[in-house]
């Protein structure tokens, strides 16, 4: 089995196309197949090398490794050869209509209450008529002659699909400047690079009907197809306008972990809730392509945020150690239950291991508390022993007892459990902070 992800490098990855990449990757890895990354960069006006590099960086961030890489701009010759074969077989024909002429034809058909299907007028041109167009300086674009027969496949997501060849326009495969269009280049690549399963967005369903015939016309095996419904926002509106803020780059900056996005995107559109997994291999054990249905999945950033916290609460030290210099396993254990983003960890790391200014609201009480601090060594029991003694001595309890201690020890009124923080802060700093000193 070979799966592929075929982005057009006309922008960075956003949650919509990242989800397609992820599902292809998971399916490939689960089935023991291989995964191809293909840059569909034949749109030379809009594609850039920087976007292509950015997409690779985004995929690496997600952890989606590829076994093979291809770039369509390296393969123009293959498309020309395929076009030549189609011409020889009488399946590719030159057309000379201008965009204006085509638009008039479409309007006329629509006005007459008929579907705007290309009328194949160019098929009836004589050699002389073609020569006359050429003499006027017109260059032809080339259309694929569809067979007028039923086109059927069992979609991996949508189930049985049925199209009629005669209800589709013969698609343009070559533009008048000679450049191949996606419909052709994609099929040539899928065929020649041995792609067996094409999973993509449902905006491509009609392309698939056409492409299925193109595979056959080129003598290639038709791959299996799956079309995933496109994501909407939490209100059910299309994401297209918000894709900038939903780029992987933007989400990463907001503190969304790669695994949060993977787990969230893999669960969207299935009946399962996103699992709080810490690795792609764990996510693989939850993956089941047959769970994706036709209902429109809603992308809800607030769910993403909650999942991010849940995942951080389970993330092992080894998975974050490199990103937080100075972090030790014990501190990680103490602070992770309180994190919403990993960025917040640095502040807690500093509170445990660097000088901070305490927040003293009741100096008499915190001074007394300092005198009650037990001698080291300290453990997670220390907090309980110390505060019970204080409770007895002062008669304070609950918030009255704990809040001034928290403010003095951490400078903040909220945070991880103090029984875990106290041994990390250590007696010397704790004593000074309780006395109002920066320590
Ligand atoms: N480059 C196409 C796109 O981004 C690929 C579609 C496909 O997977 O075939 O829409």
């Amino acid at each position: 089995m070979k799966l592929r992800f075929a982005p057009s490098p006309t922008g960075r990855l956003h949650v919509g196309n990242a989800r397609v990449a992820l599902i292809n990757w998971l399916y490939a890895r689960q089935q023991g197949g291989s995964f191809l990354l293909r840059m569909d960069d034949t749109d030379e006006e809009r594609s850039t090398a920087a976007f292509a590099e950015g997409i690779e960086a985004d995929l690496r961030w997600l952890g989606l490794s590829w076994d093979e890489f291809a770039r369509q701009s390296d393969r123009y010759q293959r498309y020309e050869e395929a076009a030549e074969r189609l011409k020889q077989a009488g399946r590719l024909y030159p057309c000379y209509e201008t965009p204006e002429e085509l638009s008039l034809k479409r309007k006329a058909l629509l006005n007459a209450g008929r579907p705007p299907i290309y009328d194949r007028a160019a098929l009836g041109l004589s050699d002389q008529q073609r020569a006359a167009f050429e003499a006027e300086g017109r260059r032809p674009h080339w259309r694929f002659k569809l067979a007028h027969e039923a086109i059927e496949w069992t979609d991996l997501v949508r189930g049985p699909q049925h199209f009629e060849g005669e209800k589709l326009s013969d698609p343009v495969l070559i533009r008048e400047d000679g450049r191949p269009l996606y419909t052709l280049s994609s099929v040539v690549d899928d065929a020649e690079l041995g792609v067996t399963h094409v999973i993509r967005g449902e905006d491509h369903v009609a392309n698939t009907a056409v492409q299925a015939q193109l595979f056959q016309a080129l003598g290639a095996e038709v791959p299996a197809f799956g079309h995933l419904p496109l994501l909407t926002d939490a209100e059910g509106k299309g994401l297209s306008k918000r894709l900038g803020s939903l780029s992987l780059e933007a989400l990463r900056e907001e503190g969304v972990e790669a695994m949060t996005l993977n787990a969230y995107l893999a669960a969207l559109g299935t009946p399962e809730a996103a699992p709080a997994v810490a690795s792609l291999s764990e996510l693989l054990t939850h993956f089941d392509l047959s769970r994706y249905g036709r209902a429109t999945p809603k992308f809800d950033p607030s769910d993403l945020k909650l999942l991010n916290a849940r995942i951080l609460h389970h993330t092992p030290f080894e998975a974050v150690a490199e990103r937080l210099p100075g972090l030790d396993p014990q501190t990680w254990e103490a602070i992770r239950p309180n994190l919403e983003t990993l960025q917040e960890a640095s502040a807690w790391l500093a509170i445990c291991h660097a000088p901070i200014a305490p927040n003293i609201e009741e100096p008499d009480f915190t001074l007394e508390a300092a005198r009650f601090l037990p001698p080291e060594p300290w453990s997670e029991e220390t907090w309980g022993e110390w505060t019970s003694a204080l409770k007895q001595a002062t008669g304070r309890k609950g918030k009255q007892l704990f809040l001034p201690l928290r403010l003095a020890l951490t400078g903040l009124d909220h945070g991880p459990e103090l029984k875990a923080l106290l041994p990390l802060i250590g007696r010397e700093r704790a004593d000074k902070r309780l006395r109002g000193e920066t320590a």
Side-chain angles (χ1 to χ4, degrees), residues 4-9 17 20 24 38-41 72 182 186 190 198-201 203-204 207 211:
R4 52 51 157 198
F5 175 53
S8 306
N17 47 26
V20 172
N24 275 288
R38 184 183 87 203
M39 289 295 165
D40 284 1
D41 58 353
Q72 291 200 319
Y182 154 80
S186 184
D190 287 339
V198 173
I199 300 176
R200 56 189 174 188
D203 49 334
H204 287 290
N207 284 340
Q211 290 185 338

Side-chain angles (χ1 to χ4, degrees), residues 209-439:
V210 162
Q211 290 185 338
Q213 283 205 2
L214 201 42
F215 278 101
Q216 287 163 340
L218 289 169
E221 204 161 313
V222 185
F225 287 99
H227 294 88
L228 297 161
L230 304 185
L231 307 185
T232 66
D233 65 14
E235 284 79 45
K237 294 204 199 72
L239 286 184
S240 57
K241 289 203 188 66
R242 302 186 40 218
L243 288 178
S245 62
L246 295 175
S247 70
L248 269 53
E249 224 180 350
L251 293 170
R252 179 168 54 219
E253 255 162 52
E254 280 169 34
V256 175
E257 296 293 305
M259 269 319 295
T260 304
L261 207 54
N262 285 329
Y264 183 74
L265 292 176
L268 265 192
T270 74
E272 281 82 28
V277 289
S279 70
L280 280 165
S281 47
E282 235 183 298
L283 187 58
L284 264 174
T285 65
H286 293 259
F287 180 74
D288 179 356
L289 188 65
S290 71
R291 303 300 276 162
Y292 296 87
R294 292 188 65 167
T296 304
K298 291 187 172 148
F299 181 90
D300 188 340
S302 59
D303 288 344
L304 192 66
K305 217 173 136 186
L306 290 175
L307 182 66
N308 204 53
R310 271 174 57 219
I311 286 188
L312 282 173
H313 304 168
H314 287 98
T315 299
F317 169 72
E318 302 74 50
V320 293
E322 251 178 47
R323 290 163 62 196
L324 285 173
L327 184 71
D328 58 275
Q330 204 191 345
T331 306
W332 177 242
E333 292 287 320
I335 66 183
R336 72 177 181 177
N338 260 74
L339 299 178
E340 286 187 357
T341 66
L342 195 68
Q343 280 99 313
E344 295 162 4
S346 319
W348 288 105
L349 195 56
I351 286 169
C352 294
H353 303 295
I356 57 148
N359 184 347
I360 303 288
E361 286 191 347
E362 296 178 73
D364 295 345
F365 171 59
T366 50
L367 200 60
E368 184 166 14
R371 286 198 285 267
F372 271 83
L373 279 174
E376 285 182 319
W378 281 2
S379 69
E380 293 229 337
E381 315 301 314
T382 307
W383 169 256
E385 290 160 15
W386 176 46
T387 52
S388 319
L390 265 176
K391 184 173 168 183
Q392 279 212 324
T394 64
R396 287 177 181 248
K397 55 181 188 210
K399 199 172 161 191
Q400 230 201 346
L401 173 67
F402 301 127
L403 187 59
L405 299 180
R406 180 178 280 285
L407 286 168
L409 291 170
T410 69
L412 298 171
D413 62 4
H414 64 274
E417 285 194 272
L418 284 164
K419 74 173 192 184
L421 290 184
L422 191 64
L424 297 168
I425 293 170
R427 195 178 192 290
E428 191 184 335
R429 277 194 211 284
D431 183 59
K432 287 190 178 149
R433 290 179 188 173
L434 290 162
R435 294 171 193 278
E437 290 170 39
T438 293

